[in-house]
Amino acid sequence: LRLNERAKQLTLGAYEKLPSVKEKNEIYELTESFNIMGEKLTNLLNHLAQEVRKRTQELEQKNKILKNIHILMSLWKFQTEENLMSLL
């Protein structure tokens, strides 16, 4: 069980050297612990990749809106300047 506890500590970021295995049942528990860590890491990375895709799409949409606003403001400014010039 010491080995399993050590593997659990690894999941919390404590990376000291693991003690040597003395009992065969510890190998099974260690394998399970590492499998759980691997599954958690995989899930986390998948979630992060999904969030990055989502945020990228949101930013692309907002950039399109900002570009359109910029175009409209430029046209409005041009139109306003022409109107002012015609008054002179």
Side-chain angles (χ1 to χ4, degrees):
L1 288 177
R2 288 181 302 139
L3 189 58
N4 188 42
E5 287 303 312
R6 193 67 206 106
K8 288 178 183 177
Q9 289 176 359
L10 281 173
T11 65
L12 300 174
Y15 300 115
E16 292 89 25
K17 186 177 178 183
L18 291 170
S20 59
V21 176
K22 294 182 180 177
E23 299 174 20
K24 289 184 180 180
N25 65 349
E26 283 188 302
I27 293 173
Y28 173 80
E29 290 183 29
L30 178 62
T31 302
E32 289 296 307
S33 294
F34 277 104
N35 286 339
I36 290 168
M37 283 189 291
E39 187 176 323
K40 285 182 179 183
L41 285 172
T42 300
N43 290 339
L44 177 63
L45 291 173
N46 288 337
H47 176 73
L48 287 175
Q50 184 179 12
E51 279 296 310
V52 166
R53 284 190 297 273
K54 178 183 168 189
R55 297 282 173 104
T56 300
Q57 288 175 346
E58 290 172 357
L59 285 173
E60 287 171 349
Q61 290 173 347
K62 288 178 182 182
N63 279 334
K64 286 179 185 178
I65 291 169
L66 286 173
K67 187 176 181 179
N68 289 335
I69 289 171
H70 177 72
I71 291 169
L72 290 172
M73 289 181 74
S74 295
L75 290 171
W76 180 81
K77 180 181 176 189
F78 177 76
Q79 193 69 22
T80 303
E81 287 173 355
E82 271 195 0
N83 288 340
L84 287 175
M85 294 300 280
S86 69
L87 292 174
L88 297 175

